[in-house]
Amino acid sequence: MMNIRRRILLQGSLTAAALSAAAGAGLLVPGRVLAAWPEKAFKMKTMPEMLKELLGAEAAEESGDINIKAPDIAENGSVVPITVTSGIAGSESISLIAVNNPAPLVASYELGEGTEGFVSTRIKMGKSGDVVAVVKAGGKLYSARKEVKVTIGGCGG
Amino acid sequence: MATNSIKIRAQLKDGVTTVKALMTHPMETGARKDSDGKMIPAHFIQEVTCESGGRKLLTAYWSGGVSKNPYLSFKFNGGKAGEMLKLAWMDNKGESASAEAEIK
């Protein structure tokens, strides 16, 4: 009995040692378990720095080829349906930003080859403001915005 | 949350497959307080991936700004009826779930 415990203990400490070694080498950064999840961009407050961090460029050109379907008035800010359609050839990603949210970057979608420039989702909006869709195509950024008036905010308790 | 359910449907029409998925998840931002005034810890899906036939169709990165019980829809070309489509998510606590659907 004692021996088995000792084995388990040894194994446990070995794993812990390996883990801390990996962390020390920068392989395991706490809070970034998902290597790809762009944590920094999600914490940023302004569009240019967010776009730079997430998509590699600060400025997005306004485009009439991006259509945002969202309600003019959202009675309930905790569920605002948003549909973005991009007619830009070679759209690689679509990102959604609710400008007046405490954490403005809401979602970012990477489109695989053959996937159309279309995403539909439901987001929370703390208060009235613009919803911006940023599309990356051919290394350039394009954007469109739509104002949504929120009657009851969706970020409070 | 133990009941991690995903409802998913993939419908093929005129060469374009439309995927619609509904996930069960609290999607807590971490900025909300409960009735006793205590902060509710953040708990939200961070990453959703969808693939079919070894092809990556969509990767979604989400914050707590996506509504509770998230809905996601997208479209792709080249899907074939009878092929399977897999959707998986992982949240900020490392919990995950996945579901498959046949393209119809």
Side-chain angles (χ1 to χ4, degrees), chain A:
Chain A
M1 190 60 193
M2 278 293 279
N3 245 329
I4 293 171
R5 279 222 181 128
R6 193 177 129 80
R7 279 302 114 200
I8 292 169
L9 208 89
L10 273 174
Q11 273 176 2
S13 55
L14 256 180
T15 323
L19 270 175
S20 57
L27 294 172
L28 280 172
V29 184
R32 282 208 78 175
V33 183
L34 297 161
W37 192 68
E39 185 183 358
K40 267 191 181 166
F42 277 118
K43 286 190 173 152
M44 288 172 169
K45 302 284 181 201
T46 68
M47 282 257 299
E49 58 171 355
M50 192 188 295
L51 295 181
K52 177 91 181 147
E53 171 69 24
L54 183 72
L55 304 165
E58 282 187 10
E61 189 185 313
E62 294 231 351
S63 169
D65 291 329
I66 304 169
N67 183 269
I68 304 175
K69 198 175 128 196
D72 294 326
I73 298 170
E75 272 181 33
N76 182 356
S78 62
V79 187
V80 183
I82 308 278
T83 300
V84 178
T85 311
S86 163
I88 300 165
S91 295
E92 297 156 29
S93 79
I94 297 175
S95 302
L96 287 177
I97 298 152
V99 179
N100 287 341
N101 270 15
L105 179 62
V106 174
S108 185
Y109 299 87
E110 279 177 9
L111 311 173
E113 213 171 300
T115 301
E116 301 213 331
F118 169 94
V119 284
S120 183
T121 196
R122 298 194 293 227
I123 68 166
K124 297 173 197 168
M125 288 182 74
K127 53 184 169 191
S128 302
D130 282 354
V131 173
V132 181
V134 177
V135 173
K136 186 176 185 179
K140 282 183 79 179
L141 305 187
Y142 304 89
S143 75
R145 55 178 67 221
K146 182 179 190 313
E147 195 194 359
V148 177
K149 284 203 166 69
V150 177
T151 321
I152 308 165
C155 292

Side-chain angles (χ1 to χ4, degrees), chain A residues 156-157, chain B residues 26 28-35 37-43 93:
Chain B
E28 281 295 346
T29 57
R32 248 161 44 97
K33 288 179 181 152
D34 65 15
S35 50
K38 279 196 293 189
M39 295 303 272
I40 304 170
H43 189 200
K93 292 185 177 177

Side-chain angles (χ1 to χ4, degrees), chain B residues 22-90:
Chain B
L22 201 57
M23 292 148 253
T24 307
H25 202 281
M27 297 301 284
E28 281 295 346
T29 57
R32 248 161 44 97
K33 288 179 181 152
D34 65 15
S35 50
D36 300 328
K38 279 196 293 189
M39 295 303 272
I40 304 170
H43 189 200
F44 57 91
I45 295 175
Q46 289 189 318
E47 191 175 323
V48 185
T49 53
C50 198
E51 55 183 42
S52 179
R55 203 154 62 103
K56 260 200 171 171
L57 301 170
L58 184 89
T59 306
Y61 300 117
W62 283 352
S63 70
V66 173
S67 301
K68 181 182 171 181
N69 297 333
Y71 168 78
L72 167 68
S73 175
F74 69 98
K75 297 174 182 178
F76 69 97
N77 294 296
K80 290 184 192 78
E83 274 185 352
M84 295 306 284
L85 180 125
K86 189 183 174 193
L87 182 135
W89 61 250
M90 195 194 262

